[in-house]
Amino acid sequence: MHELAITEEVVRIVTDKAAAMKASRVASVELVLGVLSGIVPDSVSFYFEHFSQGTPCQGARLDFVRVSAVARCRGCQHQFEPGEFDWTCPECGHLGADIVAGKELAVASIELE
Ligand SMILES: [Zn+2]
């Protein structure tokens, strides 16, 4: 999967931030991760340990904030949490919805030492 490239980017972002703040060590990193992003947290943790070697991120705690999927019905605009394979609107029974949330992948916050 693309966890490798994404995690490399996360380490780069956090390392740049730490350098800008003149911090020598990052205590923790909080990542927002939508359930539709297709990213496996365990893989990110694994690559994070690898890429953080020799950077201020080394030894930092990695926290994940999972964001649930939210869909908006194209029929009645009702927002609901869609099933994995069926996005039928629970309000009006219409099948056809747009993703409102759940594809996020972002560095939400970092804690520096
Ligand atoms: Zn609807």
Side-chain angles (χ1 to χ4, degrees):
M1 269 304 284
H2 43 297
E3 278 89 349
L4 188 149
I6 285 164
T7 310
E8 192 172 15
E9 181 69 11
V10 166
V11 170
R12 199 183 57 72
I13 290 168
V14 177
T15 300
D16 284 356
K17 254 321 158 219
M21 304 293 286
K22 301 200 187 321
S24 57
R25 220 180 84 73
V26 178
S28 67
V29 178
E30 191 177 66
L31 289 181
V32 168
L33 198 62
V35 294
L36 300 176
S37 65
I39 304 296
V40 181
D42 282 354
S43 298
V44 175
S45 295
F46 174 80
Y47 289 125
F48 186 83
E49 262 197 61
H50 171 76
F51 285 118
S52 64
Q53 299 296 320
T55 78
C57 297
Q58 190 170 345
R61 198 179 72 247
L62 200 54
D63 294 323
F64 294 96
V65 179
R66 303 308 301 267
V67 176
S68 302
V70 179
R72 189 196 297 116
C73 173
R74 286 181 197 153
C76 71
Q77 307 301 316
H78 177 68
Q79 290 195 6
F80 59 99
E81 186 173 342
E84 193 169 2
F85 300 110
D86 180 2
W87 285 28
T88 301
C89 173
E91 276 297 301
C92 71
H94 183 81
L95 178 55
D98 296 309
I99 298 171
V100 178
K103 293 177 91 169
E104 300 81 356
L105 175 92
V107 179
S109 70
I110 56 176
E111 208 181 305
L112 301 170
E113 278 182 1

